[in-house]
Amino acid sequence: MEQALEVLRTVFGYQDFRGQQAAVIEHVLKGEDTLVLMPTGGGKSLCFQVPALVCKGTAVVVSPLIALMQNQVDRLKELGVRAAYLNSSQSPAAARDVERMLRAGNLDLIYVAPERLTMDSCIALLKGVEISLFAIDEAHCISQWGHDFRSDYLQLSLIVEEFPSVPVIALTATADERTRQEIVKRLRLRSARTFVSSFNRPNIQYRVTEKVTAKDQLLDFIRSEHQDDAGIVYCLSRKTVEATAKWLVQKGVNAIPYHAGLSTGVREKNLSKFLKEDGVVVVATIAFGMGIDKPDVRFVAHIDLPKNIEAYYQETGRAGRDGDAATAWMVYGIQDAIMLRKMASQGDGSAAFKRIEAQKIQALLGYCELTSCRRQALLQYFGEESQNACGNCDACMTPIASWDATIEAQKAMSNIHRTGQRFGVGHLIDVLMARPSDKIQSLKHDEVSTYGIGKDQSEGVWRSVYRQLVARDLVRVDDYGSLALTEKSKSILRGEEKLFLRTSSLKEGKASTKSRSKKRAGASKSPTPRYSPAPAKIGSGNSLFKALSALRLELAKKQDLPSYCIFHNATLEEMARLKPKTKSDLLEISGVGAAKLEKYGQIFIDAINQHH
Ligand code: ADP
Ligand code: ZN
């Protein structure tokens, strides 16, 4: 362990291990199999990188995404680590070079794509060299229940057969018990010890807002809180991705699209732009993100709902890996609820599978409609109890009021009943509000008893009511988007039970007096969180920090590397605060190791000394 600490300090430039890192590394160094569950940004990479440098031989890292291997290898090389990768994007000559280095024992780490590793030729190659350990990154890809299943991961159980004396460390940020068990079983880990870290990401602020016009809300959010920050915007369809990216560009945001329908060339170009330049916003389908370890993503925005809570947690987890404050922001409306419900009933999975999917969707909708701390709910979903409300989510910062919506719910539900349980929400609201239409006329819906009984509320309120009825499973949606009542609705229709709903942000004004809205006056749109990362931060307005960032960008551009490969923001901030004058002062700063000191030390010291 002494050696491990030495490596941490000299190579990585960090003073101490974080959280479970030391315990994990100690276990790996004993030669035992290990399963590591840590949230994104928790510091998984060091759990295998440090042992790789301490142990004799080469560590083999299995990583699912070719596009990102290069990035990881570049970062290690910047630290002076002897690392390389083998995958199908390489020329045969380049691959032969890597193989030669491997045979000569000149590599500490080699990254290999799963489909490559399980080839006979690769196994034979590895048998001829000394392997220190196998690290399986994104190990949840082996689980069919998870959301990133990759069939080539199934073959990885070969490793244990072919290399029985080499320890295996599997790592993932997916927490649920079922996935965990599947990883151990399918990789055939031998009496593996599991290390579970807390999945709390205190620096991420969780917010969910009612969807009105998603694009405008998004732009408003970016402009008011994340101008010039790097971020990810998730949408459901390629079409929305394209349209949103184009629109943001028109509005002056440095945005690019990313989805599976783009050519490989464009995708690579966009990914590299996002990784290498500062302040790029990528608008993407969920095809984007796994393994992206850009540390300074400041926000993740969902303008469509994710598939379930696991996916939400993973996607939002891509924000703020560097530990600085970041925002997970989502807008959500009735159409999203309807869409997810429809998706749950469709598909050709088994009945049991559908039931699980439906439960997962229910949990996600429940999360959206929460009026209590979102972080507590998320952690609880992953089996973690936390005593206190977090102070850094919308529910904690601006308490969300609820109102007694029993009567409105009764009206909305009788309206479904009276019109025959065959219509979508648009028509239902027209009937409630007595808005004439051809459809109403031809169906004679102006003669039903619910016609016009909802004139006292705005359309926004009715949308919010229907949305929450769907979210609470009081109303069901069929394949065509028609709403029908469920068994659960009866007690409310009969007045046996009251129903409290979230106060809609659209509800202010017209209806609020009548329905006794308790929404607090003066609740601001972007409240100040209680969370602030320690220590006191140098703002991005600091002129030395700015000068150092510019220097970093210049150095990065020259080498065609992302700027965080040179130094992280936190490291530059510390430099701006402590103003080191000598190389040994600089070495004290977190994130400065021997290789970087050698390569960049003098340049940064000069810049600090010259700055006035
Ligand atoms: P994960 O793979 O779990 O998402 P990473 O391994 O990318 O997380 O680490 C997240 C960030 O935390 C990285 O920027 C990394 O350099 C930093 N980090 C990891 N361990 C430490 C440590 N012991 N001290 C300081 N920073 C650390
Ligand atoms: Zn909270």
Side-chain angles (χ1 to χ4, degrees):
M1 272 318 277
E2 254 166 56
Q3 264 176 295
L5 201 57
E6 178 73 17
V7 164
L8 179 76
R9 291 183 178 158
T10 55
V11 178
F12 295 92
Y14 296 138
Q15 280 311 301
D16 291 299
F17 287 115
R18 248 193 212 164
Q20 303 245 32
Q21 280 173 338
V24 170
I25 290 169
E26 191 168 7
H27 193 70
V28 174
L29 290 178
K30 277 193 211 144
E32 314 260 359
D33 287 354
T34 314
L35 173 61
V36 177
L37 297 115
M38 253 187 213
T40 311
K44 282 187 288 300
S45 326
L46 287 187
C47 294
F48 59 85
Q49 287 169 347
V50 170
L53 295 178
V54 170
C55 297
K56 261 183 77 199
T58 310
V60 179
V61 184
V62 180
S63 171
L65 288 186
I66 289 178
L68 295 159
M69 271 183 202
Q70 186 182 351
N71 183 257
Q72 288 171 6
V73 167
D74 282 347
R75 285 163 79 170
L76 285 169
K77 282 184 176 164
E78 270 297 293
L79 296 169
V81 174
R82 302 178 305 169
Y85 59 84
L86 275 179
N87 66 40
S88 56
S89 74
Q90 252 163 340
S91 72
R96 272 197 303 276
D97 275 349
V98 171
E99 288 172 11
R100 209 172 301 124
M101 282 193 286
L102 180 65
R103 281 202 200 91
N106 289 334
L107 288 178
D108 300 315
L109 286 118
I110 184 158
Y111 283 72
V112 187
E115 66 277 11
R116 179 94 176 204
L117 179 66
T118 47
M119 280 167 20
D120 291 344
S121 57
C122 192
I123 301 266
L125 171 72
L126 294 178
K127 287 220 159 151
V129 298
E130 187 174 0
I131 306 289
S132 56
L133 61 100
F134 283 99
I136 317 290
D137 208 0
E138 311 282 358
H140 62 279
C141 290
I142 205 167
S143 159
Q144 266 153 328
W145 286 102
H147 43 90
D148 289 323
F149 175 63
R150 308 241 323 192
S151 57
D152 34 26
Y153 260 64
L154 289 177
Q155 307 297 318
L156 291 175
S157 60
L158 265 178
I159 292 172
V160 171
E161 254 163 59
E162 298 283 346
F163 302 90
S165 59
V166 180
V168 179
I169 169 171
L171 309 101
T172 176
T174 297
D176 66 285
E177 183 58 33
R178 178 171 217 145
T179 311
R180 205 180 291 183
Q181 285 169 2
E182 235 181 310
I183 294 172
V184 173
K185 197 174 107 211
R186 291 187 193 257
L187 281 176
R188 300 205 225 149
L189 299 183
R190 298 145 293 195
S191 58
R193 193 156 147 208
T194 304
F195 292 84
V196 187
S197 303
S198 166
F199 275 70
N200 187 15
R201 302 282 314 277
N203 60 318
I204 298 182
Q205 177 178 109
Y206 296 99
R207 277 156 47 194
V208 183
T209 305
E210 209 163 335
K211 191 187 276 190
V212 190
T213 45
K215 281 198 301 201
D216 292 309
Q217 289 172 290
L218 174 67
L219 183 66
D220 195 38
F221 164 69
I222 293 177
R223 280 190 178 156
S224 60
E225 296 178 47
H226 289 290
Q227 186 89 37
D228 302 323
D229 281 345
I232 305 174
V233 177
Y234 282 111
C235 315
L236 210 54
S237 72
R238 297 173 186 184
K239 223 174 86 193
T240 328
V241 165
E242 292 285 349
T244 309
K246 204 168 143 194
W247 189 78
L248 285 175
V249 169
Q250 278 168 9
K251 299 288 174 188
V253 178
N254 190 3
I256 46 172
Y258 190 102
H259 58 72
L262 295 168
S263 72
T264 316
V266 174
R267 278 213 311 267
E268 273 171 15
K269 197 182 95 217
N270 288 358
L271 175 62
S272 146
K273 186 177 157 87
F274 177 66
L275 292 177
K276 288 180 184 165
E277 291 177 22
D278 290 336
V280 176
V281 173
V282 59
V283 185
T285 55
I286 49 163
F288 179 80
M290 188 178 45
I292 297 275
D293 52 3
K294 185 174 167 63
D296 54 356
V297 175
R298 294 272 67 85
F299 69 90
V300 169
H302 282 90
I303 59 173
D304 290 312
L305 285 187
K307 242 179 78 185
N308 50 44
I309 289 193
E310 287 90 337
Y312 173 75
Y313 178 80
Q314 292 267 319
E315 287 156 23
T316 54
R318 289 168 189 142
R321 293 171 79 124
D322 53 12
D324 284 352
T327 320
W329 179 92
M330 177 155 82
V331 286
Y332 140 84
I334 171 111
Q335 291 309 332
D336 296 284
I338 290 179
M339 172 96 101
L340 277 190
R341 280 251 171 262
K342 266 161 72 176
M343 273 161 53
S345 64
Q346 288 164 348
D348 38 28
S350 66
F353 182 75
K354 276 190 182 168
R355 207 162 44 241
I356 290 176
E357 289 293 286
Q359 278 165 13
K360 286 187 170 187
I361 286 170
Q362 189 58 42
L364 179 70
L365 294 177
Y367 174 81
C368 292
E369 303 289 359
L370 275 178
T371 50
S372 57
C373 179
R374 293 196 193 276
R375 189 179 316 271
Q376 269 180 329
L378 267 183
L379 291 175
Q380 200 169 38
Y381 187 80
F382 294 119
E384 263 180 62
E385 293 296 334
S386 53
Q387 260 78 51
N388 301 320
C390 77
N392 193 24
C393 72
D394 51 2
C396 284
M397 291 184 304
T398 7
I400 298 162
S402 54
W403 58 295
D404 182 349
T406 314
I407 295 189
E408 282 73 9
Q410 286 169 342
K411 287 181 182 176
M413 292 193 295
S414 341
N415 189 37
I416 292 175
H417 179 68
R418 297 286 169 202
T419 51
Q421 319 213 36
R422 288 183 292 124
F423 298 93
V425 72
H427 179 71
L428 288 169
I429 292 177
D430 284 346
V431 174
L432 275 179
M433 300 183 72
R435 291 193 298 211
S437 73
D438 293 347
K439 198 165 171 182
I440 286 183
Q441 249 183 354
S442 63
L443 293 162
K444 295 209 166 71
H445 278 175
D446 46 1
E447 287 167 23
V448 299
S449 59
T450 51
Y451 186 74
I453 57 166
K455 277 200 268 189
D456 58 334
Q457 298 283 9
S458 68
E459 164 156 8
V461 169
W462 289 119
R463 286 194 166 267
S464 159
V465 168
Y466 276 120
R467 186 192 78 225
Q468 297 188 61
L469 293 176
V470 170
R472 287 165 187 243
D473 205 25
L474 293 162
V475 163
R476 192 174 312 132
V477 184
D478 73 9
D479 288 359
Y480 304 98
S482 312
L483 307 192
L485 301 180
T486 67
E487 200 54 34
K488 277 168 84 177
S489 67
K490 280 188 186 149
S491 60
I492 291 178
L493 275 170
R494 290 196 207 112
E496 293 162 5
E497 215 184 300
K498 279 196 178 304
L499 183 68
F500 283 84
L501 295 180
R502 276 171 78 98
T503 303
S504 162
S505 53
L506 312 172
K507 194 166 160 33
E508 266 125 89
K510 194 173 172 184
S512 54
T513 39
K514 182 162 180 272
S515 56
R516 298 185 298 283
S517 163
K518 287 181 283 182
K519 179 150 184 145
R520 302 212 174 153
S524 70
K525 252 168 86 188
S526 41
T528 2
R530 264 193 261 144
Y531 174 81
S532 67
K537 280 191 55 177
I538 288 273
S540 55
N542 176 288
S543 73
L544 178 53
F545 176 77
K546 270 194 196 157
L548 297 177
S549 307
L551 174 62
R552 173 179 66 176
L553 189 63
E554 190 189 316
L555 291 168
K557 275 203 168 140
K558 263 191 217 148
Q559 303 172 80
D560 195 24
L561 284 173
S563 48
Y564 57 79
C565 278
I566 312 237
F567 289 123
H568 281 182
N569 275 352
T571 305
L572 292 194
E573 273 167 19
E574 219 174 309
M575 284 187 202
R577 201 155 45 86
L578 302 175
K579 305 194 179 68
K581 299 260 178 301
T582 62
K583 281 196 174 179
S584 66
D585 288 349
L586 194 59
L587 206 49
E588 294 293 304
I589 286 179
S590 180
V592 183
K596 290 194 179 172
L597 182 72
E598 175 74 14
K599 205 163 165 190
Y600 305 118
Q602 199 57 51
I603 311 177
F604 277 83
I605 287 168
D606 290 346
I608 292 166
N609 287 333
Q610 277 159 26
H611 185 79
H612 297 291

PDB file of all heavy atoms in Angstrom, residues 8 14 16-18 21 39-46 295 321 568, ligand 1:
ATOM      1  N   LEU A   8       0.207   7.204  -6.354  1.00  0.00           N
ATOM      2  CA  LEU A   8      -0.860   8.208  -6.366  1.00  0.00           C
ATOM      3  C   LEU A   8      -0.263   9.612  -6.344  1.00  0.00           C
ATOM      4  O   LEU A   8      -0.684  10.503  -7.070  1.00  0.00           O
ATOM      5  CB  LEU A   8      -1.782   8.013  -5.159  1.00  0.00           C
ATOM      6  CG  LEU A   8      -2.923   9.029  -5.051  1.00  0.00           C
ATOM      7  CD1 LEU A   8      -4.021   8.688  -6.054  1.00  0.00           C
ATOM      8  CD2 LEU A   8      -3.504   9.085  -3.644  1.00  0.00           C
ATOM      9  N   TYR A  14      -2.039  13.368  -6.689  1.00  0.00           N
ATOM     10  CA  TYR A  14      -3.065  13.516  -5.657  1.00  0.00           C
ATOM     11  C   TYR A  14      -2.481  13.110  -4.312  1.00  0.00           C
ATOM     12  O   TYR A  14      -1.667  12.186  -4.228  1.00  0.00           O
ATOM     13  CB  TYR A  14      -4.278  12.641  -5.969  1.00  0.00           C
ATOM     14  CG  TYR A  14      -5.003  13.033  -7.229  1.00  0.00           C
ATOM     15  CD1 TYR A  14      -5.456  12.068  -8.122  1.00  0.00           C
ATOM     16  CD2 TYR A  14      -5.242  14.372  -7.528  1.00  0.00           C
ATOM     17  CE1 TYR A  14      -6.134  12.433  -9.285  1.00  0.00           C
ATOM     18  CE2 TYR A  14      -5.916  14.746  -8.685  1.00  0.00           C
ATOM     19  CZ  TYR A  14      -6.354  13.769  -9.561  1.00  0.00           C
ATOM     20  OH  TYR A  14      -7.014  14.122 -10.702  1.00  0.00           O
ATOM     21  N   ASP A  16      -4.201  12.043  -1.384  1.00  0.00           N
ATOM     22  CA  ASP A  16      -4.786  10.917  -0.661  1.00  0.00           C
ATOM     23  C   ASP A  16      -5.815  10.185  -1.491  1.00  0.00           C
ATOM     24  O   ASP A  16      -6.410  10.768  -2.383  1.00  0.00           O
ATOM     25  CB  ASP A  16      -5.473  11.422   0.613  1.00  0.00           C
ATOM     26  CG  ASP A  16      -4.468  11.909   1.621  1.00  0.00           C
ATOM     27  OD1 ASP A  16      -3.644  11.097   2.045  1.00  0.00           O
ATOM     28  OD2 ASP A  16      -4.491  13.123   1.929  1.00  0.00           O
ATOM     29  N   PHE A  17      -6.020   8.916  -1.126  1.00  0.00           N
ATOM     30  CA  PHE A  17      -7.094   8.181  -1.775  1.00  0.00           C
ATOM     31  C   PHE A  17      -8.423   8.729  -1.297  1.00  0.00           C
ATOM     32  O   PHE A  17      -8.523   9.288  -0.205  1.00  0.00           O
ATOM     33  CB  PHE A  17      -6.980   6.688  -1.464  1.00  0.00           C
ATOM     34  CG  PHE A  17      -5.839   6.046  -2.195  1.00  0.00           C
ATOM     35  CD1 PHE A  17      -4.755   5.522  -1.506  1.00  0.00           C
ATOM     36  CD2 PHE A  17      -5.852   5.982  -3.580  1.00  0.00           C
ATOM     37  CE1 PHE A  17      -3.692   4.951  -2.197  1.00  0.00           C
ATOM     38  CE2 PHE A  17      -4.797   5.412  -4.273  1.00  0.00           C
ATOM     39  CZ  PHE A  17      -3.717   4.894  -3.580  1.00  0.00           C
ATOM     40  N   ARG A  18      -9.412   8.538  -2.127  1.00  0.00           N
ATOM     41  CA  ARG A  18     -10.751   9.021  -1.841  1.00  0.00           C
ATOM     42  C   ARG A  18     -11.655   7.855  -1.530  1.00  0.00           C
ATOM     43  O   ARG A  18     -11.543   6.826  -2.184  1.00  0.00           O
ATOM     44  CB  ARG A  18     -11.297   9.606  -3.140  1.00  0.00           C
ATOM     45  CG  ARG A  18     -11.481  11.070  -3.148  1.00  0.00           C
ATOM     46  CD  ARG A  18     -12.321  11.345  -4.366  1.00  0.00           C
ATOM     47  NE  ARG A  18     -11.997  12.628  -4.919  1.00  0.00           N
ATOM     48  CZ  ARG A  18     -12.340  13.007  -6.139  1.00  0.00           C
ATOM     49  NH1 ARG A  18     -12.984  12.174  -6.947  1.00  0.00           N
ATOM     50  NH2 ARG A  18     -12.061  14.202  -6.565  1.00  0.00           N
ATOM     51  N   GLN A  21     -11.356   3.949  -2.401  1.00  0.00           N
ATOM     52  CA  GLN A  21     -10.224   3.610  -3.292  1.00  0.00           C
ATOM     53  C   GLN A  21      -9.152   2.786  -2.588  1.00  0.00           C
ATOM     54  O   GLN A  21      -8.704   1.763  -3.118  1.00  0.00           O
ATOM     55  CB  GLN A  21      -9.595   4.890  -3.859  1.00  0.00           C
ATOM     56  CG  GLN A  21     -10.347   5.478  -5.032  1.00  0.00           C
ATOM     57  CD  GLN A  21      -9.787   6.828  -5.462  1.00  0.00           C
ATOM     58  OE1 GLN A  21      -9.132   7.525  -4.683  1.00  0.00           O
ATOM     59  NE2 GLN A  21     -10.044   7.215  -6.699  1.00  0.00           N
ATOM     60  N   PRO A  39     -20.341   5.662  -7.919  1.00  0.00           N
ATOM     61  CA  PRO A  39     -21.022   6.540  -8.865  1.00  0.00           C
ATOM     62  C   PRO A  39     -20.031   7.146  -9.850  1.00  0.00           C
ATOM     63  O   PRO A  39     -18.823   7.148  -9.591  1.00  0.00           O
ATOM     64  CB  PRO A  39     -21.619   7.622  -7.979  1.00  0.00           C
ATOM     65  CG  PRO A  39     -20.759   7.639  -6.768  1.00  0.00           C
ATOM     66  CD  PRO A  39     -20.307   6.227  -6.568  1.00  0.00           C
ATOM     67  N   THR A  40     -20.550   7.622 -10.941  1.00  0.00           N
ATOM     68  CA  THR A  40     -19.726   8.322 -11.911  1.00  0.00           C
ATOM     69  C   THR A  40     -19.002   9.457 -11.192  1.00  0.00           C
ATOM     70  O   THR A  40     -19.602  10.141 -10.367  1.00  0.00           O
ATOM     71  CB  THR A  40     -20.619   8.931 -13.001  1.00  0.00           C
ATOM     72  OG1 THR A  40     -21.489   7.903 -13.443  1.00  0.00           O
ATOM     73  CG2 THR A  40     -19.809   9.436 -14.154  1.00  0.00           C
ATOM     74  N   GLY A  41     -17.735   9.619 -11.502  1.00  0.00           N
ATOM     75  CA  GLY A  41     -16.986  10.678 -10.852  1.00  0.00           C
ATOM     76  C   GLY A  41     -16.441  10.257  -9.502  1.00  0.00           C
ATOM     77  O   GLY A  41     -15.749  11.022  -8.836  1.00  0.00           O
ATOM     78  N   GLY A  42     -16.742   9.026  -9.090  1.00  0.00           N
ATOM     79  CA  GLY A  42     -16.295   8.555  -7.784  1.00  0.00           C
ATOM     80  C   GLY A  42     -14.813   8.213  -7.754  1.00  0.00           C
ATOM     81  O   GLY A  42     -14.213   8.095  -6.690  1.00  0.00           O
ATOM     82  N   GLY A  43     -14.228   8.020  -8.931  1.00  0.00           N
ATOM     83  CA  GLY A  43     -12.797   7.704  -8.974  1.00  0.00           C
ATOM     84  C   GLY A  43     -12.522   6.231  -9.201  1.00  0.00           C
ATOM     85  O   GLY A  43     -11.610   5.655  -8.610  1.00  0.00           O
ATOM     86  N   LYS A  44     -13.310   5.618 -10.081  1.00  0.00           N
ATOM     87  CA  LYS A  44     -13.115   4.196 -10.371  1.00  0.00           C
ATOM     88  C   LYS A  44     -11.782   3.919 -11.057  1.00  0.00           C
ATOM     89  O   LYS A  44     -11.130   2.928 -10.768  1.00  0.00           O
ATOM     90  CB  LYS A  44     -14.255   3.685 -11.266  1.00  0.00           C
ATOM     91  CG  LYS A  44     -15.534   3.422 -10.491  1.00  0.00           C
ATOM     92  CD  LYS A  44     -16.586   2.770 -11.361  1.00  0.00           C
ATOM     93  CE  LYS A  44     -17.175   3.731 -12.363  1.00  0.00           C
ATOM     94  NZ  LYS A  44     -17.836   4.896 -11.772  1.00  0.00           N
ATOM     95  N   SER A  45     -11.398   4.790 -11.990  1.00  0.00           N
ATOM     96  CA  SER A  45     -10.213   4.479 -12.806  1.00  0.00           C
ATOM     97  C   SER A  45      -8.973   4.209 -11.960  1.00  0.00           C
ATOM     98  O   SER A  45      -8.208   3.299 -12.247  1.00  0.00           O
ATOM     99  CB  SER A  45      -9.913   5.617 -13.778  1.00  0.00           C
ATOM    100  OG  SER A  45     -11.079   6.222 -14.205  1.00  0.00           O
ATOM    101  N   LEU A  46      -8.793   5.007 -10.902  1.00  0.00           N
ATOM    102  CA  LEU A  46      -7.594   4.819 -10.085  1.00  0.00           C
ATOM    103  C   LEU A  46      -7.583   3.444  -9.420  1.00  0.00           C
ATOM    104  O   LEU A  46      -6.525   2.934  -9.101  1.00  0.00           O
ATOM    105  CB  LEU A  46      -7.495   5.904  -9.015  1.00  0.00           C
ATOM    106  CG  LEU A  46      -7.104   7.306  -9.484  1.00  0.00           C
ATOM    107  CD1 LEU A  46      -6.896   8.209  -8.280  1.00  0.00           C
ATOM    108  CD2 LEU A  46      -5.839   7.276 -10.312  1.00  0.00           C
ATOM    109  N   PRO A 295     -14.551  15.659 -17.438  1.00  0.00           N
ATOM    110  CA  PRO A 295     -14.836  15.976 -16.035  1.00  0.00           C
ATOM    111  C   PRO A 295     -15.635  17.262 -15.816  1.00  0.00           C
ATOM    112  O   PRO A 295     -16.271  17.429 -14.800  1.00  0.00           O
ATOM    113  CB  PRO A 295     -13.439  16.117 -15.426  1.00  0.00           C
ATOM    114  CG  PRO A 295     -12.543  16.443 -16.563  1.00  0.00           C
ATOM    115  CD  PRO A 295     -13.138  15.824 -17.784  1.00  0.00           C
ATOM    116  N   ARG A 321     -18.300  15.580 -12.879  1.00  0.00           N
ATOM    117  CA  ARG A 321     -17.385  14.545 -12.379  1.00  0.00           C
ATOM    118  C   ARG A 321     -16.221  15.150 -11.626  1.00  0.00           C
ATOM    119  O   ARG A 321     -15.568  14.478 -10.832  1.00  0.00           O
ATOM    120  CB  ARG A 321     -16.839  13.718 -13.537  1.00  0.00           C
ATOM    121  CG  ARG A 321     -17.900  12.907 -14.199  1.00  0.00           C
ATOM    122  CD  ARG A 321     -17.358  12.303 -15.458  1.00  0.00           C
ATOM    123  NE  ARG A 321     -16.547  11.142 -15.138  1.00  0.00           N
ATOM    124  CZ  ARG A 321     -16.763   9.939 -15.641  1.00  0.00           C
ATOM    125  NH1 ARG A 321     -17.734   9.752 -16.471  1.00  0.00           N
ATOM    126  NH2 ARG A 321     -15.993   8.951 -15.323  1.00  0.00           N
ATOM    127  N   HIS A 568      -6.920  19.905 -14.745  1.00  0.00           N
ATOM    128  CA  HIS A 568      -8.344  20.147 -14.485  1.00  0.00           C
ATOM    129  C   HIS A 568      -8.558  21.579 -14.009  1.00  0.00           C
ATOM    130  O   HIS A 568      -7.627  22.211 -13.507  1.00  0.00           O
ATOM    131  CB  HIS A 568      -8.843  19.215 -13.399  1.00  0.00           C
ATOM    132  CG  HIS A 568      -9.117  17.844 -13.910  1.00  0.00           C
ATOM    133  ND1 HIS A 568      -9.604  16.853 -13.112  1.00  0.00           N
ATOM    134  CD2 HIS A 568      -8.962  17.301 -15.132  1.00  0.00           C
ATOM    135  CE1 HIS A 568      -9.746  15.754 -13.818  1.00  0.00           C
ATOM    136  NE2 HIS A 568      -9.363  16.009 -15.050  1.00  0.00           N
TER     137      HIS A 568
HETATM  138  P1  ADP B   1     -15.261   7.399 -12.565  1.00  0.00           P
HETATM  139  O1  ADP B   1     -14.521   6.559 -13.566  1.00  0.00           O
HETATM  140  O2  ADP B   1     -15.615   6.681 -11.323  1.00  0.00           O
HETATM  141  O3  ADP B   1     -16.407   8.122 -13.148  1.00  0.00           O
HETATM  142  P2  ADP B   1     -12.850   8.905 -12.557  1.00  0.00           P
HETATM  143  O4  ADP B   1     -11.936   7.784 -12.310  1.00  0.00           O
HETATM  144  O5  ADP B   1     -12.922   9.469 -13.926  1.00  0.00           O
HETATM  145  O6  ADP B   1     -14.297   8.537 -12.063  1.00  0.00           O
HETATM  146  O7  ADP B   1     -12.525  10.067 -11.515  1.00  0.00           O
HETATM  147  C1  ADP B   1     -13.293  11.218 -11.442  1.00  0.00           C
HETATM  148  C2  ADP B   1     -12.428  12.416 -11.153  1.00  0.00           C
HETATM  149  O8  ADP B   1     -11.913  12.386  -9.834  1.00  0.00           O
HETATM  150  C3  ADP B   1     -11.242  12.488 -12.066  1.00  0.00           C
HETATM  151  O9  ADP B   1     -11.104  13.809 -12.477  1.00  0.00           O
HETATM  152  C4  ADP B   1     -10.080  12.048 -11.202  1.00  0.00           C
HETATM  153  O10 ADP B   1      -8.880  12.605 -11.635  1.00  0.00           O
HETATM  154  C5  ADP B   1     -10.495  12.549  -9.831  1.00  0.00           C
HETATM  155  N1  ADP B   1      -9.941  11.724  -8.746  1.00  0.00           N
HETATM  156  C6  ADP B   1     -10.043  10.384  -8.620  1.00  0.00           C
HETATM  157  N2  ADP B   1      -9.435   9.966  -7.497  1.00  0.00           N
HETATM  158  C7  ADP B   1      -8.932  11.057  -6.881  1.00  0.00           C
HETATM  159  C8  ADP B   1      -8.195  11.279  -5.669  1.00  0.00           C
HETATM  160  N3  ADP B   1      -7.848  10.269  -4.865  1.00  0.00           N
HETATM  161  N4  ADP B   1      -7.846  12.554  -5.364  1.00  0.00           N
HETATM  162  C9  ADP B   1      -8.199  13.577  -6.187  1.00  0.00           C
HETATM  163  N5  ADP B   1      -8.887  13.422  -7.331  1.00  0.00           N
HETATM  164  C10 ADP B   1      -9.254  12.191  -7.677  1.00  0.00           C
END
